[in-house]
Amino acid sequence: MSSIALENESEEAIDRFAETAREFCSWLEGEPSDDMSERFTALRFLSRLYDQALQLPEIRDEHMAGAASEWSEMSAELTDRVMKRLDRFPTRSYWRIDRTSEGEVEKVEDDVARDLFLTYSGVKDSLTDFDRGNQARYRAAWSWRFTFWLDWGRHSTNAIQALHAQFHDEANRHE
């Protein structure tokens, strides 16, 4: 594979992720729909974001050299609006197994809405950088990839698993 084709594939992967991130954020910033649609839409978006994050390229230093150094942050009004919407998210609570720092297993109660918000926060801030274009788009891609492995990727997989389990249970309730 030539370096030009690899570069084009990398650019396309960044563009695809940015578009999905934008759709996901717009969905959470909008009005909620019925419970089933909310849960299924969340499952679809989280699955797409996760898949596309795995395809984000490693950003080389030369692409970061001209990127501005200020970081974007969500407005308090937008944060409040998304949090209020997620307060009404259906069937939020779930249980998962986690390992302590000592290697022991513990049962932890968690919240799908919290996972959705932390995923949203992980991708939203970098959309502003992406929209600036040029070098800032590479900083956005770097940030998405880094924070995926650091934090929001885990929240998205926890929510995916919880939502999938809900649909599984509902589908098999009548057996």
Side-chain angles (χ1 to χ4, degrees):
M1 179 180 303
S2 75
S3 62
I4 292 172
L6 182 59
E7 201 63 35
N8 288 341
E9 287 178 18
S10 295
E11 294 291 335
E12 290 169 6
I14 294 168
D15 290 339
R16 275 191 309 274
F17 184 88
E19 183 59 30
T20 300
R22 189 177 318 285
E23 291 172 6
F24 172 69
C25 292
S26 293
W27 169 68
L28 279 176
E29 293 161 6
E31 291 298 316
S33 58
D34 64 272
D35 288 359
M36 178 75 83
S37 294
E38 283 293 279
R39 291 183 300 131
F40 193 72
T41 300
L43 181 59
R44 286 179 48 231
F45 272 127
L46 292 170
S47 298
R48 284 175 50 202
L49 283 169
Y50 191 90
D51 175 58
Q52 291 173 359
L54 292 174
Q55 298 173 48
L56 286 170
E58 186 170 338
I59 303 300
R60 298 185 309 262
D61 289 343
E62 66 261 20
H63 289 298
M64 297 289 286
S69 60
E70 77 275 356
W71 292 97
S72 305
E73 288 188 25
M74 289 184 292
S75 71
E77 181 273 326
L78 185 58
T79 299
D80 288 344
R81 184 173 56 195
V82 172
M83 289 180 83
K84 284 178 183 165
R85 181 185 196 272
L86 287 170
D87 279 344
R88 298 185 309 260
F89 194 83
T91 320
R92 294 172 45 176
S93 181
Y94 68 95
W95 291 91
R96 63 180 172 79
I97 302 298
D98 209 355
R99 292 207 179 272
T100 66
S101 58
E102 294 82 31
E104 295 179 19
V105 174
E106 66 181 356
K107 189 175 178 182
V108 177
E109 186 174 14
D110 218 333
D111 185 340
V112 172
R114 178 179 171 273
D115 290 327
L116 283 167
F117 183 78
L118 292 170
T119 301
Y120 169 84
S121 297
V123 300
K124 177 67 177 179
D125 287 342
S126 295
L127 277 174
T128 303
D129 282 339
F130 179 82
D131 290 339
R132 287 184 187 127
N134 299 326
Q135 298 303 97
R137 71 183 263 116
Y138 296 116
R139 188 175 72 173
W142 180 89
S143 178
W144 286 323
R145 189 171 190 259
F146 178 76
T147 58
F148 168 75
W149 290 111
L150 181 68
D151 186 54
W152 72 260
R154 183 144 192 186
H155 290 288
S156 66
T157 57
N158 288 343
I160 289 167
Q161 186 174 14
L163 291 165
H164 179 89
Q166 290 174 17
F167 285 112
H168 174 270
D169 291 350
E170 289 168 14
N172 293 297
R173 186 172 298 155
H174 303 291
E175 287 186 3

